[in-house]
């Protein structure tokens, strides 16, 4: 798992500002990218060489399609299974995956919103800026602006 809190924070902020329709599109794209990454990693482990990048991409898409068909077949079997069969399937999958089925990752995201003062914003976003000097210039600007406006 690759967790960069700053990137996650940015992603959550962007996601929360999207319409529900665009949130669904973003999730769909993320799932697609995850599937592609999984296939690229499998191919890399298998040390398969391709003539060009297009052949590699084609193989990735072929494998994704194959996995989706297998997942659909598996889902249809699960729908027919009773509780005991489901338990057996879960135990077998967990053992075959080296315990990945029972690995639980809890991710907690805390969203807080507050208004910053302009000084806090500048200190945070423009390190090294002299707030007091900038304030003097801004005040002079608005004095001149207001005088011209009259």
């Amino acid at each position: 798992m690759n967790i960069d809190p700053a990137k996650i924070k940015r992603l959550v902020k962007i996601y929360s500002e999207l319409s529900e329709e665009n949130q669904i599109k973003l999730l769909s794209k993320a799932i697609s990218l995850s599937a592609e990454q999984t296939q690229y990693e499998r191919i890399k482990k298998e040390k398969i060489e391709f003539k060009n990048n297009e052949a590699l991409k084609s193989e990735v898409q072929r494998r994704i399609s194959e996995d989706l068909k297998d997942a659909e077949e598996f889902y249809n079997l699960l729908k027919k299974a009773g509780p005991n069969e489901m338990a057996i399937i879960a135990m077998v999958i967990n053992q075959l995956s080296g315990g990945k089925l029972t690995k639980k990752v809890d991710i907690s995201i805390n969203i807080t919103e507050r208004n910053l003062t302009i000084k806090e914003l500048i200190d945070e976003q423009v390190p090294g800026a002299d707030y007091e000097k900038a304030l003097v210039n801004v005040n002079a600007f608005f004095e001149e602006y207001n005088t011209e406006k009259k």
Side-chain angles (χ1 to χ4, degrees):
M1 197 176 290
N2 182 11
I3 298 178
D4 178 342
K7 288 179 184 173
I8 291 171
K9 180 179 176 182
R10 184 169 181 229
L11 183 60
V12 169
K13 185 175 183 331
I14 291 168
Y15 179 86
S16 68
E17 293 171 350
L18 293 174
S19 67
E20 188 168 338
E21 179 183 340
N22 284 331
Q23 286 177 350
I24 291 168
K25 287 179 185 177
L26 179 59
L27 285 172
S28 185
K29 183 63 177 176
I31 291 166
S32 175
L33 289 171
S34 178
E36 285 180 16
Q37 180 174 318
T38 297
Q39 295 307 325
Y40 279 115
E41 288 170 358
R42 283 184 184 168
I43 289 168
K44 187 177 179 180
K45 280 183 184 176
E46 294 169 15
K47 298 180 181 175
I48 299 173
E49 304 247 347
F50 293 90
K51 293 178 184 178
N52 54 42
N53 204 29
E54 287 305 312
L56 172 60
K57 286 180 182 179
S58 178
E59 177 63 10
V60 165
Q61 292 306 313
R62 185 194 69 73
R63 287 180 177 213
I64 289 171
S65 294
E66 190 176 285
D67 282 355
L68 287 173
K69 286 178 193 169
D70 291 345
E72 183 179 18
E73 287 175 21
F74 185 68
Y75 173 73
N76 288 330
L77 287 173
L78 282 179
K79 287 193 313 188
K80 296 174 186 172
N84 290 332
E85 291 85 2
M86 298 262 296
I88 292 168
I89 292 168
M91 289 177 190
V92 169
I93 290 172
N94 192 56
Q95 191 157 354
L96 290 174
S97 69
K100 288 182 180 177
L101 187 64
T102 54
K103 181 179 181 180
K104 184 176 179 185
V105 177
D106 288 324
I107 297 176
S108 175
I109 298 174
N110 182 23
I111 300 172
T112 56
E113 183 177 325
R114 69 181 182 93
N115 289 326
L116 300 174
T117 66
I118 190 67
K119 181 175 182 348
E120 289 172 322
L121 176 76
I122 290 171
D123 288 346
E124 183 180 297
Q125 300 295 321
V126 191
D130 184 341
Y131 173 80
E132 297 302 326
K133 187 176 181 181
L135 183 59
V136 168
N137 288 324
V138 168
N139 287 337
F141 167 80
F142 278 110
E143 280 181 31
E144 185 178 320
Y145 174 79
N146 288 332
T147 302
E148 290 177 8
K149 201 172 161 185
K150 291 180 183 178

